[in-house]
Structures are given as C-alpha cells and as structure tokens.
Amino acid sequence: MAQHLSAVARARLAAQRIHHFHGGLRLRHNKKISCEVPLERIPPSERLFVPLLQHGYSDAARSLVEPGQAVLKGEPIGSYSEPDTGYVHAPTSGKVIALEVRPIAHPSGLDGECVVIEPDGEERWSWLEPIEDWQHADPATLGERIRTAGLVGLGGAVFPTAKKVEGAQARGVHTLILNGAECEPYISCDEMLMREQPEKLILGARVLRRATAAERVIIAIEDQMGVVQRMLDSALKTCGDGEVEIVRVTTIYPEGGERQLVQVLTGLEVPSGGLPLDLGLLCLNVGTAAAAADAVIEGRPLIERIVTVSGSGITRPRNLIALLGTPIHELVERCGGYRGDVQRLVLGGPMMGYALPTDAAPVVKAANCILALTADDLRSPQPEMPCIRCGECMRVCPAVLLPQQLHWQVTNQQWEEAEEYGLMDCIECGCCDFVCPSQIPLADWFRYGKGVLVNRASEKRAADHARHRFAARQERLDRLRRNRQDRIAEKKRQLKQSSEGRRKVAEALERARKSRGEDEGRSP
Ligand code: SF4
Ligand code: SF4
C-alpha cells in the first residue's frame, strides 16, 4: 500500500502539469458537423445481423442459439472459447431466423457468421440482476459482471474489459484513466456521450474505481471540449465521490492513444512491449465506463453503442444510438442518406479506420464511426516513389520509431532487425503516411509486418512447445530404458547370488555327507 500511495503521490504531482509526447499532427477536427444535433436512438431494424466475430483478440464466438429459437433482449447468443472474453447478447427480443455467413465490419475484410434476429417489437428483457449495493460490492463480483455483460473497449480497440480489470485487480493500480480525448478527426461519439450522459459516465467511473481499487480517476478530455467540461463538472456535483477529476489535454493527434495519453497525463513512458499496468495505471475509454454503469447498476449487457455517422458524403451528419446488428445503410438513411460522389465507406476515423466492403455490414462493438468519404476528402492516388530519406516520418512518429528504417526492414523481410527496431511498438496511427512526400503507405507495411511478427512468434511458440515435448518424451523413454536395464541387472545379480548360494549349499552338504561317511568307516 505504501508503494501505491507514493505512486499516487507521484502521479498527482506529475498530473499537475500536462506533458507532451514526441511527434503527432495537428489535424482539422471536422467534429462540429456531427455534434450540432442531439443523440437519437434509431429504432430496431426489421432484421438484426449480429456478428459472432466482434473483435480481433479471439476467434469468433460459438453460437448458443438455433434458427427458430425465441430470444429475449440481452440474452447471451454467443460465447467465446476464452472465458475472459464474455458473451455476445441478443440486442432485442424476437426470433432467430438464421445463422448465416454475411459481410461484416472487420479489418480482415472477410465475411463472418451472423445470428439473424427478427425482432418481435416487444423489447422483452432478459435482465441481468442489477448489483444494488455496488458501492460496497466485492471487486471480483464487479469484474465478473463486466465479463458477463460482454464489455469491450468502445474506443475502437474492443479489447475485452474484463481482462484489463482482472489484470488491474491482480497487479494493483493507483490511477484509472478514462480516455475522452477523442483525437481522430470526425469521430465525436465520446464527446456526445460526455455532453448528454455525463452522470452515467461519472457513475461508471466510480464503478470501475471500485472494481479496480484505484485510488483516483482522471477523465481526460480535449482542451476544445468546453461544453463537455461544464457538463461533467455539473455531474460531478450531483453524483461524484470526490475522487474523479477532469483533466484537459491539448488537441493533437494521436493524443487519445493509450501510451500517448499516459505520457501526457503523467510524464511517464509505458515501457516498450509493456502496458500502463506496469506503471500502476489502467486506461479505459469513457464509453466503456458508461457501459460499466449500465452493466452493474442497471443490469444491462452491451447491446448498443453510440455511432458517429459523418463525412462529406453524409447529408446530415450526427450521432446515433444503434443496436448491434443494425445494417449500416439504415444509419446512413437516418442521416438523410448519401450525398455527392461517395468513394469510400470507412469504419473508424480517416487515420486508423478501415474500408467497409458494403453498407450492408452491421454495427459491431467496434463501430465508433461510419465515415462516407467523397473524392474531395481523399488524396488522389499518387505513384509510390522511393524513400528520399527526408526524415519527416521520424519527426512525426509518436512512438519515437524510425519509420524509414522499419520500411526498409519490412520490405526486405529483415524480421529480427524490424523487431529490434521496435516494429511492435508502432500504433499504426498513420502520421508517417500522412507526411511522406514519396507517398509510401508506411502504416500498411507496418500493419503487415506486425502480423508477420505475431505469426512468427506464435510459430516459434508452437515449435518451442513441440521441441520441449520431444525432449520430454526422449527423457521419459531414456528413463524407462535405464530403469529396465537396472531391473535386469538386479535380477541377474539376484540370480547369480542365488546360484552361488545353491552351489555353496551343495558343497556344504557334500562336505557333511563325506564327513558322515568317514565317521561311519571308523566305527567299531
Ligand atoms: S517520410 Fe517518406 S521519404 Fe521521407 S524518410 Fe520517411 S519514408 Fe522516406
Ligand atoms: S504508423 Fe507507426 S511508425 Fe508510423 S508514425 Fe504511427 S507509430 Fe510511427
């Protein structure tokens, strides 16, 4: 505890001033266009297509339902093989009419299995039990609720929240950082959440503080979110507990990245290959905190999320609350449909998002933003040119890497060197792409390179495992052989001993017999 208190004191001192991270870009925000109208809840679609593959941290969930089966709103319909990953839940009540492979929103671009639900319009809940006395609940109980409610990081990373919370419980954290620094252009779902549901966020912050035993909570917002600051300040007065504070950080991309935000707030650097947990910190998105309040206080699993629908290809950009499984074209229609020459539909922001194959893909837990980009938004494709070693990419890289060097290593498959130069620390922010005068798609190369390193690591693990198994088997066989040889030797020794013994007995008997004969010869 003493160690934690001093860590808190250090973090408090460090947070009294805002620090800076290396590099980054000042980008046009383009958020105002989607923040002018209030949040609106979109009614359930005629068909919901709930993907069983919701994130990239595990395989797809296994369906728990069959076609023809009735489901209640919030009922688990898919479970993951990794227990920490929780469940996928039915977004509304109705009937499962099919399990089918359809286009989904996933970075791989591949189709995925979906549970197709026909809503009955009755919205009949299968409630989880609210945890009434959550202020005094055991942290393990809260962690378990976060798991069963299927919570994931709603900032787009969709890492299972229960894993992070369990890590914090096991290792201990002094500060919980709630990330509202939504630094990527166009995305405004977190800003709208903080403006319109600030009490829910504050309650979620308190729930997570209880679950992680953190001593303080920082909600980080951008310095241009004046309305948000006022709304949160007023919510703190009504439902805060004195341990939640709001900190405004400079608006610079990618300040909302976990590592960058930790550095800005504390001046501390998350070690290469490490986690904020290594510094006694846990970082979660503000949307995740609000979902934690829903799960614990209301007993509602994660079945909906706020989605920004924006871009110059959208008639009336805004933020919508949509059930998971709602086809994306229905969100676009709710925003007045497309306008202009839409060239690309993106899930996420313009820097880190990925292109969607079709607007028939449904809303998933990762869907923080749907962006319709026209030709004017996109840089006209230029031929890729050789690197001129200008160093611009290095200047803007927030991970303090040498992108030009990494590019050389990845394109030449120098994997050991790329690993040594920190390829796995690349956060794929795209800053280097943005400034590269040679139009080299650096972030794409690094995404590919990281995939290769992950595969190599898992192949190495598999090979090491096979080698250990082989060595263990050899050792076992050797041991068995040695045991057998020892047993045979012992047997022989015993046999030898016993034949020797028999011979000695026979000799003794013979001597005795002879001695008796001599005695009889001497008798009168
Ligand atoms: S910005 Fe592009 S051209 Fe300049 S050093 Fe980096 S990779 Fe090379
Ligand atoms: S994509 Fe990777 S290498 Fe490029 S600037 Fe971002 S962190 Fe640095």
Side-chain angles (χ1 to χ4, degrees):
M1 182 57 83
Q3 181 194 347
H4 273 182
L5 280 173
S6 64
V8 170
R10 278 204 309 277
R12 274 193 205 281
L13 277 174
Q16 282 172 3
R17 70 185 185 89
I18 294 301
H19 305 262
H20 297 282
F21 62 91
H22 178 265
L25 294 171
R26 288 189 188 275
L27 300 170
R28 281 186 61 194
H29 241 207
N30 291 324
K31 291 179 191 277
K32 208 168 162 215
I33 48 170
S34 55
C35 294
E36 284 170 349
V37 279
L39 279 176
E40 188 197 357
R41 187 178 295 279
I42 178 169
S45 159
E46 282 182 11
R47 294 264 193 289
L48 293 168
F49 305 92
V50 187
L52 290 168
L53 183 60
Q54 290 279 344
H55 44 69
Y57 295 98
S58 68
D59 295 337
R62 180 177 55 85
S63 173
L64 300 174
V65 290
E66 296 288 340
Q69 184 177 333
V71 286
L72 294 173
K73 185 169 182 165
E75 181 178 330
I77 55 172
S79 77
Y80 292 95
S81 54
E82 268 195 66
D84 288 350
T85 313
Y87 297 95
V88 179
H89 301 84
T92 189
S93 60
K95 191 165 87 174
V96 175
I97 57 169
L99 289 173
E100 60 185 37
V101 175
R102 300 179 51 84
I104 60 167
H106 194 265
S108 67
L110 300 174
D111 292 353
E113 191 176 29
C114 297
V115 178
V116 187
I117 297 175
E118 188 176 65
D120 58 14
E122 295 179 19
E123 306 273 326
R124 284 174 297 129
W125 272 95
S126 156
W127 290 87
L128 295 170
E129 198 68 26
I131 300 176
E132 307 280 355
D133 192 20
W134 58 269
Q135 292 95 331
H136 304 106
D138 174 26
T141 306
L142 299 178
E144 175 60 10
R145 169 54 55 89
I146 285 166
R147 185 186 76 81
T148 51
L151 261 60
V152 294
L154 293 180
V158 286
F159 189 81
T161 308
K163 281 193 187 189
K164 282 191 163 189
V165 169
E166 280 164 18
Q169 289 170 346
R171 296 179 58 183
V173 290
H174 53 77
T175 305
L176 169 65
I177 297 172
L178 295 182
N179 186 352
E182 201 172 36
C183 58
E184 202 168 348
Y186 290 101
I187 308 175
S188 59
C189 54
D190 290 345
E191 180 168 346
M192 290 305 285
L193 166 81
M194 292 188 281
R195 279 187 192 201
E196 299 206 9
Q197 301 174 354
E199 290 85 6
K200 195 199 276 193
L201 169 57
I202 300 298
L203 288 173
R206 292 179 55 194
V207 164
L208 289 168
R209 192 167 88 81
R210 175 82 198 162
T212 57
E215 292 175 36
R216 67 191 288 239
V217 183
I218 298 174
I219 301 178
I221 61 171
E222 291 180 330
D223 53 8
Q224 59 179 10
M225 292 178 173
V227 184
V228 167
Q229 169 98 54
R230 284 198 296 282
M231 301 307 290
L232 289 177
D233 282 344
S234 136
L236 277 178
K237 283 184 195 134
T238 55
C239 54
D241 63 357
E243 292 296 342
V244 181
E245 61 192 282
I246 318 294
V247 176
R248 286 163 78 152
V249 296
T250 328
T251 304
I252 182 167
Y253 177 80
E255 192 153 58
E258 190 171 80
R259 286 162 175 265
Q260 286 66 40
L261 190 58
V262 164
Q263 191 172 356
V264 166
L265 291 174
T266 66
L268 304 172
E269 278 188 48
V270 178
S272 172
L275 295 168
L277 277 184
D278 300 332
L279 303 173
L281 302 162
L282 179 66
C283 202
L284 294 169
N285 171 262
V286 287
T288 309
D294 273 346
V296 170
I297 303 173
E298 305 289 334
R300 295 166 60 140
L302 182 59
I303 55 167
E304 64 183 23
R305 68 157 298 144
I306 303 176
V307 186
T308 305
V309 185
S310 190
S312 48
I314 297 290
T315 304
R316 289 190 297 278
R318 65 181 309 169
N319 279 274
L320 297 168
I321 303 174
L323 293 178
L324 304 181
T326 308
I328 283 167
H329 62 77
E330 295 199 12
L331 275 70
V332 174
E333 283 153 24
R334 199 78 184 175
C335 296
Y338 295 112
R339 68 169 187 187
D341 176 22
V342 175
Q343 300 267 316
R344 191 179 298 164
L345 200 59
V346 171
L347 188 134
M351 299 297 284
M352 294 181 78
Y354 55 88
L356 285 170
T358 161
D359 61 6
V363 171
V364 286
K365 293 180 184 181
N368 53 358
C369 180
I370 306 296
L371 204 52
L373 299 173
T374 62
D376 292 343
D377 301 314
L378 299 168
R379 284 194 284 181
S380 51
Q382 301 282 331
E384 187 179 324
M385 307 288 284
C387 172
I388 55 169
R389 297 263 153 188
C390 65
E392 277 299 289
C393 51
M394 194 176 71
R395 188 181 58 77
V396 297
C397 177
V400 203
L401 300 174
L402 300 173
Q404 73 277 45
Q405 193 66 26
L406 286 172
H407 175 245
W408 169 262
Q409 288 158 346
V410 171
T411 49
N412 287 286
Q413 308 203 352
Q414 296 174 350
W415 301 119
E416 281 82 16
E417 289 85 347
E419 195 163 12
E420 206 176 297
Y421 274 72
L423 179 57
M424 291 308 287
D425 288 336
C426 167
I427 58 166
E428 301 169 27
C429 65
C431 288
C432 49
D433 274 23
F434 194 84
V435 296
C436 178
S438 295
Q439 312 290 333
I440 303 171
L442 295 159
D444 283 349
W445 277 110
F446 302 154
R447 214 167 280 131
Y448 156 74
K450 284 171 72 178
V452 172
L453 288 189
V454 168
N455 285 345
R456 279 167 60 94
S458 87
E459 277 166 20
K460 183 171 178 306
R461 268 197 307 278
D464 286 349
H465 184 60
R467 202 172 53 250
H468 286 142
R469 279 185 55 152
F470 179 76
R473 181 172 178 273
Q474 282 302 108
E475 196 185 312
R476 187 167 51 85
L477 292 177
D478 286 350
R479 198 172 55 245
L480 288 174
R481 196 172 55 245
R482 279 197 306 275
N483 288 347
R484 202 171 65 239
Q485 284 170 347
D486 289 350
R487 276 201 310 277
I488 290 170
E490 175 64 15
K491 193 90 182 164
K492 278 183 180 166
R493 193 183 60 77
Q494 285 173 357
L495 272 173
K496 199 172 161 196
Q497 270 184 355
S498 63
S499 60
E500 182 82 358
R502 274 201 303 274
R503 189 176 60 75
K504 282 183 179 167
V505 169
E507 281 173 4
L509 286 172
E510 180 62 19
R511 276 198 306 277
R513 192 179 58 77
K514 278 185 182 165
S515 142
R516 270 201 310 275
E518 283 167 8
D519 287 349
E520 281 166 7
R522 280 199 296 272
S523 301

